[in-house]
Amino acid sequence: MPHPSSHRSAGSGTSAASAPDWHAWSDAWTRHIPTLTGRHDLTVTVVPGAGGGAPACFYPDARRVEVDATHIGAPDIADPHKAGHKRLVPTAYGLLVHEAAHAKHSLWTAPVGTPPVVAAVADLLEESRAENRQRGRRRGDRRWLRHTVTALLDPGDAPVDDAWHAAHLAGLLLARVDARIITAKDIKGVRAAVTAILGRKTLRQLRDVWREAHTIDDTDATAMIDLAWRWCRILGIDPHQRPEPPQPDPGAFAGQLAQALTDYLAHATGVTPVEYAAQQIQSQHAAPTWWTRRAPTDAERTAARHLAARLRRARTHIPEPDTRPSPIPPGRLRTRHAITAKAQIAAGSMLTATPWQRRSQIPPPKPTLHLAVLVDTSFSMHSYAAPMSSAGWILAHAARTNHATTTMIGFGSSATLLVPPRQHPTHVLDMPAVGGTTAFGDAVKLADRLLHLRQPGRLRMLVVVSDGELPDIESAQRLISTLHQSGCAVLWLRPADLSGHTFGHTTTLLVDDPVAAVDAIAGAAVAALEHA
């Protein structure tokens, strides 16, 4: 699937005939696009899923602009033939303006034989260059282009904190400040994160590149490619030796770039960063609709109550002597507080002094347990699917009144959030055992986003139920080692009857059956609280 910021694509795109309900939008915007571009040879297609995976796309060969109707909503939300409709669909109309800018000003193509990394940088520079030209030609379009930034950006634009991705984020956002599409205040946090990684000198050199790109003629491919080569040299990339764009390390967690981008996107969409992150997780990791949900059985309810009692006892394990102030006897009189109490009574004010001090046996303070359980949903683990589905419900309800936060995530071909943290599901979600194990890294990173497993000062534990047969052992080990080094305990439960890989920096237990795995998870949670 193309990146959301891809602006031009070969091929002919999507046919408007595939969605007759959207014909009015396609027709109205086809009539309108000459106003935006000055070209009369373009057509516009507005249908759900248009754009080839991006929010919108321009197909130069077919002379067609496509806009994904998802950004509009329903066909009857507005009358596209009326001028006022754009205020009701500002993001979708902004996408039309963005692609119109490419149709009008992106009249160059990378020469044959250009290294892919150089072509990628040239396309990146073209984003702000085309918008800058469109704004200069039609100043009122800036209003709509501002609305597109959140749609054209993706949280995956900053998966790791390295120079390539910091520069990429700078080219997407900081360059748009110089193009006068957004303001410096908008991206203050992003600029700080980018500067921390690149340094002021490198960022200044990159800025010179994109500002020069803003002055390049619409048809000057040579100048754009030369600037892309210069960009690569600044970042220390030799396209002859590394012709492909650098890929993020799958064994590294997201860092300050991702957080800064999330904060910006949240602010731009009018929600808090926590709410924005929750929306992203729901859209990317929600369970498929065809997965079944059922009412919990009496045995599961009983198991949840028993585990809750065990967690409660673990939290009150080995009481310790302590002193507590009290407004009434018995206890030891504290003279100063007694005098304060008499004065408060005489003044007729609220009594806040506590003249007596008692000795008592109280439970030691315990931190909140943050427990993430990752379950392998590949076919080889099919016998564990049903018991672990039950375990997710049991853990969530047992933790409810015991200052514990749990989450369960399934990983197969994708990472699926089975039981969100701080929620108490009314039904048990039965997970199937299908697919591979390619999403283990995504599952670990999702668990870290949900429970902050790398954050010191917390009682944290990651439990993995899997045979350990993963396609990328090295990156998985790096993720596990990072958690271990941050103080997060990692418990790996491996079926005894299956061959598999044993990871370092984990406590690995061989379990004979699925029920034993559930018992081991409960026992680990209780032990973690007892020894906290």
Side-chain angles (χ1 to χ4, degrees), residues 7 39 43 106 160 162 177 222 233 236 240 268 271 275 287 295 354 387 393 399 428 443 451 490 500 528:
H7 61 91
R39 293 180 56 173
T43 60
S106 301
V160 294
D162 62 16
V177 174
T222 301
R233 287 193 297 271
H240 296 297
V271 298
E275 291 171 336
T354 52
W393 187 91
V428 178
L451 298 185
V490 181

Side-chain angles (χ1 to χ4, degrees), residues 1-7 49-57 66-68 71 151-152:
M1 184 174 72
H3 190 276
S5 63
S6 299
H7 61 91
C57 190
E66 290 188 4
V67 178
D68 187 352
H71 297 279
L152 293 173

Side-chain angles (χ1 to χ4, degrees), residues 208-259:
D208 290 341
V209 173
W210 73 60
R211 292 184 71 177
E212 186 173 341
H214 292 171
T215 67
I216 300 300
D217 187 75
D218 294 339
T219 60
D220 195 345
T222 301
M224 291 299 294
I225 297 301
D226 287 345
L227 289 177
W229 277 92
R230 181 173 153 196
W231 182 284
C232 291
R233 287 193 297 271
I234 293 171
L235 296 179
I237 297 173
D238 184 354
H240 296 297
Q241 300 295 326
R242 297 169 53 188
E244 296 295 329
Q247 297 300 311
D249 179 2
F253 287 94
Q256 56 182 330
L257 286 179
Q259 186 59 55

Side-chain angles (χ1 to χ4, degrees), residues 398-414:
R400 182 174 184 176
T401 57
N402 287 284
H403 301 284
T405 301
T406 67
T407 187
M408 180 169 282
I409 301 168
F411 65 92
S413 300
S414 61

Side-chain angles (χ1 to χ4, degrees), residues 398-471:
R400 182 174 184 176
T401 57
N402 287 284
H403 301 284
T405 301
T406 67
T407 187
M408 180 169 282
I409 301 168
F411 65 92
S413 300
S414 61
T416 304
L417 181 58
L418 304 171
V419 180
R422 303 173 190 86
Q423 293 189 18
H424 312 104
T426 57
H427 291 78
V428 178
L429 176 62
D430 285 326
M431 71 181 92
V434 294
T437 56
T438 56
F440 173 77
D442 293 338
V444 175
K445 294 173 184 178
L446 175 59
D448 178 61
R449 289 177 64 187
L450 292 171
L451 298 185
H452 306 288
L453 297 179
R454 291 176 294 148
Q455 182 175 324
R458 295 176 172 223
L459 180 58
R460 300 152 285 148
M461 178 180 290
L462 175 70
V463 178
V464 183
V465 184
S466 171
D467 57 11
E469 289 289 354
L470 306 179

